[in-house]
Amino acid sequence: MLDRLTILFAKRPRTAEDWVARMGNPVVGARMQAAFLAWLESDPEHLRRYELAKAEQAALEDLRGTFAMDLARLRRSERHVASPRRFVLAGGLAVAALAVAAVVLIPSPEARLYESAPGQIMDVALDDGSRVTLDADSAIRVSLTGDVRRVILERGAAYFDVAHDATHPFQVAVGDRRVIVTGTRFVTALTGDGAHISLLQGRVVVGTRDAAEKAAVQGALALAPGERAVFHPGQPAIEKARVDVEMTTAWRKRRLVFQDASLSDVVVAAARYSERPLVVADPELARVKVTAVLPLEGEGTLVARMTALLPIETRQTADGRVLIRAQ
């Protein structure tokens, strides 16, 4: 009890060394976790300083394990955090979701799997200087060895801010397509039986050839900022359309934006960030169209905010599911 009170009333850390000491405590509360993440996000230099302070404390050969323990402790504690945090939709650095986001350093060039839990948004810093934000319940596999930097989107969605390196192309495999870039910002997503790539900045090509091949871009579809490629893995057709960048990147402001969307689509999108399973329990939801902005953080639960904002009724079942019907 005394240890918990000491942690509760302790002075908030200000330096990287202070944060290393504080995060090493056996009990790290939700408020302190949120303060730690806010400190990291307030200045890009803070993450580097924290990594250096951690390395000095733990020794370089143990760096991966010590960061893994920090991340594991945050993940375990996330289950007890009531307020939403942030989430990802189309491809960026910041994120929004129900769980506290975690920043992960990848110290090894080996192919590694990184995945976020349902309701969790996770930032990943790569060795090459690129940054990835995983949407809730998403996964990527990363390999930075060889002449090509490779990432596989295994499920969900991810935002990429790619560090420029003309001699080492950056490739993201999405289904049976390959997104090839040298430095840019874009978003990828696997949605049911479909997939899409949205470009925010720079230039990318979307094709089926590997970036290591000499004719890698031959026959590939080129995207300009503000454009989206939509396709179904296993099918040759691919379509290009304009995309609303503000709507696509609304997660940066911790919200979901819907324009003339069916209530059923709204429920499906929001379900990724809900602590409880959301169930479309009324076919009428597919026929009702709405234009709305759904905050992913604020007072009350996500379901409570949806009920206040949308023309829906909800009922929680004994097994914890939330049944949603049109009013």
Side-chain angles (χ1 to χ4, degrees):
M1 181 65 178
L2 181 60
D3 290 340
R4 293 186 179 182
L5 289 176
T6 301
I7 292 170
L8 178 62
F9 292 104
K11 185 178 179 181
R12 178 170 295 181
R14 295 181 179 276
T15 67
E17 291 76 12
D18 291 343
W19 277 115
V20 169
R22 181 60 56 85
M23 296 306 289
N25 286 332
V27 179
V28 181
R31 289 185 180 180
M32 190 57 65
Q33 293 176 27
F36 174 56
L37 293 168
W39 178 79
L40 286 176
E41 294 169 355
S42 66
D43 187 339
E45 182 69 10
H46 285 172
L47 175 60
R48 188 187 68 84
R49 292 176 182 174
Y50 180 81
E51 294 165 1
L52 290 175
K54 192 78 173 182
E56 291 174 358
Q57 181 196 65
L60 291 176
E61 63 268 20
D62 297 327
L63 185 60
R64 185 186 303 183
T66 53
F67 271 99
M69 286 188 289
D70 282 353
L71 178 57
R73 182 166 56 252
L74 283 172
R75 283 175 170 170
R76 289 195 299 270
S77 300
E78 280 167 4
R79 300 174 184 175
H80 306 290
V81 179
S83 60
R85 174 59 183 161
R86 19 181 207 161
F87 100 94
V88 166
L89 191 133
L93 285 175
V95 288
L98 280 164
V100 174
V103 179
V104 183
L105 173 70
I106 300 180
S108 170
E110 301 172 356
R112 296 183 61 187
L113 177 67
Y114 289 88
E115 53 188 340
S116 57
Q120 179 196 29
I121 302 302
M122 185 169 72
D123 290 343
V124 181
L126 304 182
D127 272 353
D128 67 342
S130 300
R131 296 182 65 87
V132 184
T133 299
L134 293 180
D135 197 354
D137 194 19
S138 300
I140 58 172
R141 192 173 297 276
V142 180
S143 175
L144 301 180
T145 59
D147 295 333
V148 178
R149 298 171 286 171
R150 304 178 190 276
V151 176
I152 299 174
L153 178 65
E154 299 205 341
R155 70 173 186 274
Y159 170 93
F160 296 86
D161 190 340
V162 180
H164 181 77
D165 185 348
T167 61
H168 296 86
F170 191 98
Q171 173 178 284
V172 180
V174 184
D176 58 356
R177 299 305 203 281
R178 305 292 183 268
V179 184
I180 302 174
V181 306
T182 54
T184 188
R185 293 187 296 148
F186 63 100
V187 178
T188 63
L190 292 169
T191 55
D193 63 347
H196 62 76
I197 295 101
S198 302
L199 181 62
L200 282 71
Q201 177 182 317
R203 183 176 181 273
V204 304
V205 293
V206 183
T208 58
R209 300 175 184 271
D210 188 88
E213 299 182 26
K214 292 183 178 180
V217 300
Q218 182 176 339
L221 177 69
L223 294 182
E227 293 183 333
R228 167 179 288 183
V230 182
F231 61 94
H232 293 273
Q235 300 181 18
I238 184 168
E239 300 179 359
K240 182 166 68 173
R242 297 295 301 176
V243 63
D244 186 327
V245 175
E246 288 298 321
M247 184 178 299
T248 302
T249 59
W251 54 268
R252 293 182 179 219
K253 299 180 180 178
R254 294 156 175 78
R255 64 191 185 187
L256 290 174
V257 177
F258 302 96
Q259 183 173 4
D260 197 30
S262 68
L263 280 176
S264 57
D265 286 343
V266 173
V267 172
V268 170
R272 302 184 65 146
Y273 312 99
S274 175
E275 293 177 324
R276 301 183 180 277
L278 305 185
V279 180
V280 176
D282 182 358
E284 184 65 21
L285 292 174
R287 292 187 282 271
V288 179
K289 303 290 185 178
V290 296
T291 296
V293 177
L294 177 61
L296 289 174
E297 64 179 7
E299 294 296 326
T301 65
L302 178 62
V303 172
R305 291 194 294 277
M306 292 174 63
T307 303
L309 179 68
L310 304 170
I312 60 174
E313 297 177 348
T314 64
R315 181 175 68 86
Q316 185 172 321
T317 64
D319 60 3
R321 295 179 301 155
V322 178
L323 305 183
I324 300 180
R325 296 183 170 86
Q327 285 184 342

PDB file of all heavy atoms in Angstrom, residues 188-213:
ATOM      1  N   THR A 188      -2.287   1.673 -45.783  1.00  0.00           N
ATOM      2  CA  THR A 188      -2.736   0.418 -46.375  1.00  0.00           C
ATOM      3  C   THR A 188      -3.756  -0.232 -45.460  1.00  0.00           C
ATOM      4  O   THR A 188      -3.709  -0.047 -44.241  1.00  0.00           O
ATOM      5  CB  THR A 188      -1.566  -0.563 -46.579  1.00  0.00           C
ATOM      6  OG1 THR A 188      -1.020  -0.905 -45.293  1.00  0.00           O
ATOM      7  CG2 THR A 188      -0.476   0.045 -47.447  1.00  0.00           C
ATOM      8  N   ALA A 189      -4.684  -0.988 -46.059  1.00  0.00           N
ATOM      9  CA  ALA A 189      -5.701  -1.645 -45.229  1.00  0.00           C
ATOM     10  C   ALA A 189      -6.227  -2.880 -45.934  1.00  0.00           C
ATOM     11  O   ALA A 189      -6.416  -2.883 -47.155  1.00  0.00           O
ATOM     12  CB  ALA A 189      -6.853  -0.686 -44.925  1.00  0.00           C
ATOM     13  N   LEU A 190      -6.440  -3.925 -45.156  1.00  0.00           N
ATOM     14  CA  LEU A 190      -7.154  -5.119 -45.597  1.00  0.00           C
ATOM     15  C   LEU A 190      -8.529  -5.067 -44.954  1.00  0.00           C
ATOM     16  O   LEU A 190      -8.651  -5.012 -43.728  1.00  0.00           O
ATOM     17  CB  LEU A 190      -6.405  -6.383 -45.172  1.00  0.00           C
ATOM     18  CG  LEU A 190      -5.057  -6.629 -45.855  1.00  0.00           C
ATOM     19  CD1 LEU A 190      -4.306  -7.757 -45.161  1.00  0.00           C
ATOM     20  CD2 LEU A 190      -5.268  -6.972 -47.333  1.00  0.00           C
ATOM     21  N   THR A 191      -9.581  -5.063 -45.787  1.00  0.00           N
ATOM     22  CA  THR A 191     -10.943  -4.920 -45.281  1.00  0.00           C
ATOM     23  C   THR A 191     -11.799  -6.051 -45.829  1.00  0.00           C
ATOM     24  O   THR A 191     -12.224  -6.018 -46.982  1.00  0.00           O
ATOM     25  CB  THR A 191     -11.545  -3.581 -45.723  1.00  0.00           C
ATOM     26  OG1 THR A 191     -11.463  -3.473 -47.154  1.00  0.00           O
ATOM     27  CG2 THR A 191     -10.774  -2.420 -45.115  1.00  0.00           C
ATOM     28  N   GLY A 192     -12.074  -7.065 -45.008  1.00  0.00           N
ATOM     29  CA  GLY A 192     -12.864  -8.196 -45.474  1.00  0.00           C
ATOM     30  C   GLY A 192     -12.143  -8.890 -46.608  1.00  0.00           C
ATOM     31  O   GLY A 192     -11.014  -9.344 -46.471  1.00  0.00           O
ATOM     32  N   ASP A 193     -12.782  -8.951 -47.789  1.00  0.00           N
ATOM     33  CA  ASP A 193     -12.152  -9.580 -48.944  1.00  0.00           C
ATOM     34  C   ASP A 193     -11.494  -8.564 -49.860  1.00  0.00           C
ATOM     35  O   ASP A 193     -11.045  -8.900 -50.958  1.00  0.00           O
ATOM     36  CB  ASP A 193     -13.188 -10.400 -49.730  1.00  0.00           C
ATOM     37  CG  ASP A 193     -14.297  -9.531 -50.310  1.00  0.00           C
ATOM     38  OD1 ASP A 193     -14.403  -8.350 -49.904  1.00  0.00           O
ATOM     39  OD2 ASP A 193     -15.060 -10.019 -51.162  1.00  0.00           O
ATOM     40  N   GLY A 194     -11.415  -7.299 -49.427  1.00  0.00           N
ATOM     41  CA  GLY A 194     -10.820  -6.253 -50.245  1.00  0.00           C
ATOM     42  C   GLY A 194      -9.606  -5.627 -49.586  1.00  0.00           C
ATOM     43  O   GLY A 194      -9.199  -5.999 -48.492  1.00  0.00           O
ATOM     44  N   ALA A 195      -9.013  -4.655 -50.289  1.00  0.00           N
ATOM     45  CA  ALA A 195      -7.843  -3.941 -49.776  1.00  0.00           C
ATOM     46  C   ALA A 195      -7.759  -2.591 -50.456  1.00  0.00           C
ATOM     47  O   ALA A 195      -8.299  -2.396 -51.551  1.00  0.00           O
ATOM     48  CB  ALA A 195      -6.568  -4.742 -50.033  1.00  0.00           C
ATOM     49  N   HIS A 196      -7.083  -1.652 -49.801  1.00  0.00           N
ATOM     50  CA  HIS A 196      -6.876  -0.358 -50.441  1.00  0.00           C
ATOM     51  C   HIS A 196      -5.596   0.287 -49.943  1.00  0.00           C
ATOM     52  O   HIS A 196      -5.129   0.015 -48.835  1.00  0.00           O
ATOM     53  CB  HIS A 196      -8.068   0.578 -50.248  1.00  0.00           C
ATOM     54  CG  HIS A 196      -8.361   0.934 -48.815  1.00  0.00           C
ATOM     55  ND1 HIS A 196      -7.620   1.839 -48.100  1.00  0.00           N
ATOM     56  CD2 HIS A 196      -9.331   0.507 -47.976  1.00  0.00           C
ATOM     57  CE1 HIS A 196      -8.114   1.962 -46.883  1.00  0.00           C
ATOM     58  NE2 HIS A 196      -9.141   1.154 -46.774  1.00  0.00           N
ATOM     59  N   ILE A 197      -5.036   1.145 -50.794  1.00  0.00           N
ATOM     60  CA  ILE A 197      -3.842   1.919 -50.479  1.00  0.00           C
ATOM     61  C   ILE A 197      -4.156   3.375 -50.761  1.00  0.00           C
ATOM     62  O   ILE A 197      -4.587   3.710 -51.878  1.00  0.00           O
ATOM     63  CB  ILE A 197      -2.624   1.476 -51.312  1.00  0.00           C
ATOM     64  CG1 ILE A 197      -2.214   0.041 -50.976  1.00  0.00           C
ATOM     65  CG2 ILE A 197      -1.444   2.402 -51.084  1.00  0.00           C
ATOM     66  CD1 ILE A 197      -2.689  -0.957 -51.994  1.00  0.00           C
ATOM     67  N   SER A 198      -3.977   4.251 -49.774  1.00  0.00           N
ATOM     68  CA  SER A 198      -4.237   5.680 -49.945  1.00  0.00           C
ATOM     69  C   SER A 198      -2.932   6.442 -49.769  1.00  0.00           C
ATOM     70  O   SER A 198      -2.188   6.197 -48.828  1.00  0.00           O
ATOM     71  CB  SER A 198      -5.266   6.159 -48.916  1.00  0.00           C
ATOM     72  OG  SER A 198      -6.481   5.446 -49.027  1.00  0.00           O
ATOM     73  N   LEU A 199      -2.666   7.383 -50.694  1.00  0.00           N
ATOM     74  CA  LEU A 199      -1.415   8.133 -50.671  1.00  0.00           C
ATOM     75  C   LEU A 199      -1.651   9.539 -50.151  1.00  0.00           C
ATOM     76  O   LEU A 199      -2.517  10.258 -50.657  1.00  0.00           O
ATOM     77  CB  LEU A 199      -0.798   8.185 -52.067  1.00  0.00           C
ATOM     78  CG  LEU A 199       0.541   8.917 -52.188  1.00  0.00           C
ATOM     79  CD1 LEU A 199       1.610   8.227 -51.351  1.00  0.00           C
ATOM     80  CD2 LEU A 199       0.983   8.984 -53.650  1.00  0.00           C
ATOM     81  N   LEU A 200      -0.874   9.921 -49.134  1.00  0.00           N
ATOM     82  CA  LEU A 200      -0.979  11.258 -48.567  1.00  0.00           C
ATOM     83  C   LEU A 200       0.095  12.190 -49.104  1.00  0.00           C
ATOM     84  O   LEU A 200      -0.143  13.378 -49.294  1.00  0.00           O
ATOM     85  CB  LEU A 200      -0.872  11.189 -47.040  1.00  0.00           C
ATOM     86  CG  LEU A 200      -2.112  10.743 -46.281  1.00  0.00           C
ATOM     87  CD1 LEU A 200      -2.394   9.267 -46.482  1.00  0.00           C
ATOM     88  CD2 LEU A 200      -1.960  11.037 -44.802  1.00  0.00           C
ATOM     89  N   GLN A 201       1.299  11.656 -49.322  1.00  0.00           N
ATOM     90  CA  GLN A 201       2.407  12.497 -49.746  1.00  0.00           C
ATOM     91  C   GLN A 201       3.413  11.650 -50.503  1.00  0.00           C
ATOM     92  O   GLN A 201       3.620  10.478 -50.189  1.00  0.00           O
ATOM     93  CB  GLN A 201       3.070  13.128 -48.523  1.00  0.00           C
ATOM     94  CG  GLN A 201       4.292  13.987 -48.830  1.00  0.00           C
ATOM     95  CD  GLN A 201       4.919  14.533 -47.557  1.00  0.00           C
ATOM     96  OE1 GLN A 201       4.230  14.974 -46.647  1.00  0.00           O
ATOM     97  NE2 GLN A 201       6.244  14.490 -47.491  1.00  0.00           N
ATOM     98  N   GLY A 202       4.050  12.240 -51.531  1.00  0.00           N
ATOM     99  CA  GLY A 202       5.065  11.530 -52.296  1.00  0.00           C
ATOM    100  C   GLY A 202       4.477  10.803 -53.488  1.00  0.00           C
ATOM    101  O   GLY A 202       3.522  11.256 -54.110  1.00  0.00           O
ATOM    102  N   ARG A 203       5.037   9.634 -53.779  1.00  0.00           N
ATOM    103  CA  ARG A 203       4.593   8.851 -54.928  1.00  0.00           C
ATOM    104  C   ARG A 203       4.843   7.377 -54.649  1.00  0.00           C
ATOM    105  O   ARG A 203       5.878   7.008 -54.101  1.00  0.00           O
ATOM    106  CB  ARG A 203       5.351   9.271 -56.198  1.00  0.00           C
ATOM    107  CG  ARG A 203       4.914   8.561 -57.461  1.00  0.00           C
ATOM    108  CD  ARG A 203       5.671   9.119 -58.677  1.00  0.00           C
ATOM    109  NE  ARG A 203       5.265   8.473 -59.906  1.00  0.00           N
ATOM    110  CZ  ARG A 203       5.794   7.340 -60.369  1.00  0.00           C
ATOM    111  NH1 ARG A 203       6.765   6.750 -59.678  1.00  0.00           N
ATOM    112  NH2 ARG A 203       5.370   6.813 -61.501  1.00  0.00           N
ATOM    113  N   VAL A 204       3.887   6.532 -55.020  1.00  0.00           N
ATOM    114  CA  VAL A 204       4.042   5.092 -54.886  1.00  0.00           C
ATOM    115  C   VAL A 204       3.523   4.424 -56.145  1.00  0.00           C
ATOM    116  O   VAL A 204       2.768   5.017 -56.919  1.00  0.00           O
ATOM    117  CB  VAL A 204       3.270   4.525 -53.661  1.00  0.00           C
ATOM    118  CG1 VAL A 204       3.685   5.216 -52.384  1.00  0.00           C
ATOM    119  CG2 VAL A 204       1.760   4.638 -53.871  1.00  0.00           C
ATOM    120  N   VAL A 205       3.938   3.184 -56.356  1.00  0.00           N
ATOM    121  CA  VAL A 205       3.377   2.366 -57.428  1.00  0.00           C
ATOM    122  C   VAL A 205       2.862   1.081 -56.786  1.00  0.00           C
ATOM    123  O   VAL A 205       3.445   0.556 -55.834  1.00  0.00           O
ATOM    124  CB  VAL A 205       4.409   2.041 -58.530  1.00  0.00           C
ATOM    125  CG1 VAL A 205       4.808   3.311 -59.274  1.00  0.00           C
ATOM    126  CG2 VAL A 205       5.632   1.350 -57.955  1.00  0.00           C
ATOM    127  N   VAL A 206       1.754   0.580 -57.315  1.00  0.00           N
ATOM    128  CA  VAL A 206       1.121  -0.616 -56.789  1.00  0.00           C
ATOM    129  C   VAL A 206       1.101  -1.663 -57.898  1.00  0.00           C
ATOM    130  O   VAL A 206       0.483  -1.457 -58.943  1.00  0.00           O
ATOM    131  CB  VAL A 206      -0.313  -0.337 -56.311  1.00  0.00           C
ATOM    132  CG1 VAL A 206      -0.925  -1.597 -55.704  1.00  0.00           C
ATOM    133  CG2 VAL A 206      -0.333   0.809 -55.311  1.00  0.00           C
ATOM    134  N   GLY A 207       1.790  -2.768 -57.693  1.00  0.00           N
ATOM    135  CA  GLY A 207       1.851  -3.806 -58.710  1.00  0.00           C
ATOM    136  C   GLY A 207       1.943  -5.181 -58.085  1.00  0.00           C
ATOM    137  O   GLY A 207       1.689  -5.360 -56.887  1.00  0.00           O
ATOM    138  N   THR A 208       2.345  -6.149 -58.897  1.00  0.00           N
ATOM    139  CA  THR A 208       2.446  -7.531 -58.414  1.00  0.00           C
ATOM    140  C   THR A 208       3.888  -8.022 -58.359  1.00  0.00           C
ATOM    141  O   THR A 208       4.147  -9.105 -57.836  1.00  0.00           O
ATOM    142  CB  THR A 208       1.638  -8.460 -59.330  1.00  0.00           C
ATOM    143  OG1 THR A 208       2.125  -8.335 -60.679  1.00  0.00           O
ATOM    144  CG2 THR A 208       0.156  -8.114 -59.291  1.00  0.00           C
ATOM    145  N   ARG A 209       4.843  -7.241 -58.884  1.00  0.00           N
ATOM    146  CA  ARG A 209       6.239  -7.661 -58.913  1.00  0.00           C
ATOM    147  C   ARG A 209       6.981  -7.213 -57.656  1.00  0.00           C
ATOM    148  O   ARG A 209       6.644  -6.202 -57.044  1.00  0.00           O
ATOM    149  CB  ARG A 209       6.948  -7.089 -60.146  1.00  0.00           C
ATOM    150  CG  ARG A 209       6.344  -7.534 -61.473  1.00  0.00           C
ATOM    151  CD  ARG A 209       7.047  -6.826 -62.630  1.00  0.00           C
ATOM    152  NE  ARG A 209       6.447  -7.134 -63.914  1.00  0.00           N
ATOM    153  CZ  ARG A 209       6.792  -8.159 -64.680  1.00  0.00           C
ATOM    154  NH1 ARG A 209       7.773  -8.955 -64.279  1.00  0.00           N
ATOM    155  NH2 ARG A 209       6.192  -8.368 -65.831  1.00  0.00           N
ATOM    156  N   ASP A 210       8.009  -7.973 -57.300  1.00  0.00           N
ATOM    157  CA  ASP A 210       8.827  -7.638 -56.152  1.00  0.00           C
ATOM    158  C   ASP A 210       9.760  -6.485 -56.501  1.00  0.00           C
ATOM    159  O   ASP A 210      10.231  -6.355 -57.643  1.00  0.00           O
ATOM    160  CB  ASP A 210       9.650  -8.856 -55.720  1.00  0.00           C
ATOM    161  CG  ASP A 210      10.376  -8.616 -54.400  1.00  0.00           C
ATOM    162  OD1 ASP A 210       9.765  -8.889 -53.357  1.00  0.00           O
ATOM    163  OD2 ASP A 210      11.534  -8.162 -54.444  1.00  0.00           O
ATOM    164  N   ALA A 211      10.059  -5.639 -55.503  1.00  0.00           N
ATOM    165  CA  ALA A 211      10.896  -4.467 -55.729  1.00  0.00           C
ATOM    166  C   ALA A 211      12.308  -4.833 -56.167  1.00  0.00           C
ATOM    167  O   ALA A 211      13.007  -4.020 -56.767  1.00  0.00           O
ATOM    168  CB  ALA A 211      10.948  -3.616 -54.461  1.00  0.00           C
ATOM    169  N   ALA A 212      12.757  -6.056 -55.885  1.00  0.00           N
ATOM    170  CA  ALA A 212      14.104  -6.475 -56.264  1.00  0.00           C
ATOM    171  C   ALA A 212      14.215  -6.796 -57.758  1.00  0.00           C
ATOM    172  O   ALA A 212      15.315  -6.863 -58.304  1.00  0.00           O
ATOM    173  CB  ALA A 212      14.523  -7.697 -55.449  1.00  0.00           C
ATOM    174  N   GLU A 213      13.085  -6.990 -58.428  1.00  0.00           N
ATOM    175  CA  GLU A 213      13.110  -7.306 -59.853  1.00  0.00           C
ATOM    176  C   GLU A 213      13.414  -6.060 -60.669  1.00  0.00           C
ATOM    177  O   GLU A 213      13.021  -4.947 -60.310  1.00  0.00           O
ATOM    178  CB  GLU A 213      11.758  -7.895 -60.282  1.00  0.00           C
ATOM    179  CG  GLU A 213      11.395  -9.182 -59.577  1.00  0.00           C
ATOM    180  CD  GLU A 213      10.070  -9.740 -60.066  1.00  0.00           C
ATOM    181  OE1 GLU A 213       9.692  -9.446 -61.219  1.00  0.00           O
ATOM    182  OE2 GLU A 213       9.398 -10.447 -59.286  1.00  0.00           O
TER     183      GLU A 213
END
